[in-house]
Amino acid sequence: MASLKKNRVLSKKTNLTLIPNAELERQRKKGNVQFPLASCGHSVNPAEVTKSVKSLLDQKSLEFRCPVCDKEWSWRETRKLTQLPEPELCALEERVSLVAQDCPELYKKCPSCSLLLQRAGDDDGSVPLCVACPGCSHSLGKPCLLCWACLSPWQGGEEDGEGAGCTNKACGLVSALLCCSVVTDPTSKVLGCPQFRACPMCHQLIMHTGGCKYVSCQGCRHKFCFICLERSKNCKRSGPGLYWALQCSKPRAERQRLDC
């Protein structure tokens, strides 16, 4: 194993431990090590991949890259390279979701398969209006294009042209709900929530400006919890003394996608 340690390549960027393929093959034949291959062809230590992922998540980053060739790894590939058991993988997935929610301009989740989607610019610097979901595309056997703004099905091809565009008539509203910043004021009763919510009844856009976690829609007078989106009467029943509490006893509702 001395030669194995000697030939390890350490990345200054992510501290990933990689092993040259020739040495890895020799060790595999001896039954000493079984490390997975990344899509770029480099073998990686799952424990080091996991350590690197946690370090990146601490920095609010989802830029997973090979430290040798700098090829970007999708989260779908990276999660496989960790080779973690399902409970630990679910915990890591939750952290990834939180980072993605805080950076809606860069990351979103496919509404069908929950795969993490990342918006990437073209070579000419332009930013495409739609994104292809690799998971759904693989399942359907054809490109599955989604509007980046509202994650609704995209009509037509990736190139702008006649008939190409989002199929959702409420695209602008849903885009505001998915892309707005989160509340960062530590004194706010809705800390961590998106700055905008849509009324669950009439879909009118509402911004929390202060006070308790309950808001009243000016359009239809519907009162609901800004955190869990439950009707205020139902939310109050979830526990005593929660009216002025900072956190709701129920899980914070995800960003809304309206069925319009």
Side-chain angles (χ1 to χ4, degrees), residues 33-97:
V33 64
Q34 292 182 346
F35 286 169
L37 281 174
S39 58
C40 54
H42 295 108
S43 300
V44 293
N45 183 334
E48 294 295 339
V49 174
T50 303
K51 182 179 178 181
S52 172
V53 168
K54 291 180 178 179
S55 176
L56 287 169
L57 291 176
D58 289 339
Q59 302 170 43
K60 304 291 185 182
S61 173
L62 299 178
E63 296 285 339
F64 309 117
R65 294 181 179 275
C66 173
V68 174
C69 62
D70 204 38
K71 180 184 177 182
E72 186 172 358
W73 293 337
S74 67
W75 168 240
R76 188 182 188 187
E77 176 182 5
T78 306
R79 70 196 300 274
K80 289 182 179 179
L81 292 175
T82 63
Q83 294 190 343
L84 289 173
E86 194 62 30
E88 293 183 43
L89 196 57
C90 288
L92 209 59
E93 190 83 49
E94 289 182 7
R95 292 190 61 189
V96 170
S97 297

Side-chain angles (χ1 to χ4, degrees), residues 95-107:
R95 292 190 61 189
V96 170
S97 297
L98 289 175
V99 174
Q101 180 171 301
D102 290 342
C103 304
E105 70 281 0
L106 296 176
Y107 308 105

Side-chain angles (χ1 to χ4, degrees), residues 170-189:
C171 179
L173 173 61
V174 178
S175 175
L177 294 170
L178 294 178
C179 298
C180 66
S181 302
V182 298
V183 178
T184 57
D185 182 0
T187 64
S188 173
K189 296 292 188 291

Side-chain angles (χ1 to χ4, degrees), residues 213-224:
K213 60 189 176 184
Y214 298 111
V215 294
S216 179
C217 176
Q218 296 299 313
C220 66
R221 302 300 178 183
H222 177 66
K223 295 182 179 180
F224 64 97

